[in-house]
Amino acid sequence: MTRKLWGRASSGNVQKALWALDELGLPYEHIEAGGAYGIVGDAAYRALNPNGLVPTLDEDGFVLWESNAILRYLAHAYGGPLALPAEPRARALVDQWLDWQATAFTPAMRDAFLQLVRVAPEKRDAGMVEASRVNSERCAALLDRHLSDTPFVAGAGFTIADIAVGLAANRWFQLPLEREERPAIRRWLGVLAQRPASSAVLSLPLT
């Protein structure tokens, strides 16, 4: 089987797929794309992913985009350390946290990330950064309270929800701004960092 993953490794969404593939020990070719690497505007890439975004996974001609869809596919198709719970309610909790990452936590920190990492200091909008910080703190507080009662985001065991939410939380702690300390999140991220497949992506700087 040939397996290719397109997307720059600095992208949080691409990092989800890289981590999941490495958790499973699956061979793949990683093609840097997006940002300074280009490619995503090319007709050949748009034929795979009409959004012109990353990541995109191609397994022997089966093409899939959207990072959390890729996580779900790999969990369904290969199981192993990513195997989803068999019980419907337990599986629904995984979906809940995947959706929360995509619709709440990551959008909340988007402006702070763009302004502090991608925009030159003299052009930054302090108001946008502060609004993003406040919204992100609400999400971080919610997550910290939740993790004070459970070892992983969806329950007792590691799941793909920990990949998605863990990468978002790691990005939040890397942003150069003041924030409340969240001991339960720190404890959980320390556990995730012990997983060999996480080391490459959790150690990447923000760019």
Side-chain angles (χ1 to χ4, degrees), residues 10-203:
S10 60
S11 161
N13 285 331
V14 175
Q15 290 170 11
K16 296 178 196 177
L18 291 170
W19 184 348
L21 288 166
D22 289 342
E23 280 282 345
L24 294 167
L26 296 174
Y28 62 94
E29 178 186 358
H30 176 214
I31 303 165
E32 297 276 9
Y37 296 99
I39 295 177
V40 295
D42 297 348
Y45 186 82
R46 290 296 180 102
L48 297 173
N49 186 337
N51 301 290
L53 300 174
V54 292
T56 299
L57 177 70
D58 181 346
E59 277 193 346
D60 282 344
F62 170 66
V63 178
L64 187 65
W65 34 266
E66 289 297 325
S67 59
N68 286 353
I70 291 172
L71 287 179
R72 288 183 174 100
Y73 166 70
L74 293 173
H76 282 296
Y78 297 101
L82 303 186
L84 294 168
E87 199 275 319
R89 292 182 179 180
R91 186 172 297 197
L93 291 175
V94 176
D95 284 332
Q96 170 185 274
W97 287 101
L98 287 171
D99 289 350
W100 180 80
Q101 174 271 313
T103 64
F105 198 13
T106 294
M109 76 177 83
R110 179 179 183 275
D111 286 339
F113 170 77
L114 291 175
Q115 292 290 316
L116 295 173
V117 178
R118 300 275 174 83
V119 175
E122 67 276 10
K123 295 182 179 180
R124 289 173 185 164
D125 186 322
M128 291 180 67
V129 173
E130 177 59 14
S132 180
R133 186 194 68 80
V134 169
N135 288 333
S136 299
E137 283 282 43
R138 291 194 190 102
C139 291
L142 182 156
L143 180 61
D144 195 66
R145 287 193 300 271
H146 174 68
L147 286 169
S148 67
D149 295 323
T150 183
F152 296 96
V153 293
F158 173 83
T159 70
I160 55 174
D162 293 288
I163 293 177
V165 182
L167 286 167
N170 183 64
R171 174 163 290 198
W172 170 238
F173 280 129
Q174 284 184 288
L175 287 175
L177 46 68
E178 291 187 8
R179 66 184 65 76
E180 295 289 331
E181 189 53 48
R182 308 293 182 185
I185 296 178
R186 291 286 192 185
R187 182 272 310 163
W188 165 69
L189 286 176
V191 172
L192 296 183
Q194 295 175 25
R195 302 184 72 85
S198 76
S199 60
V201 291
L202 288 180
S203 63

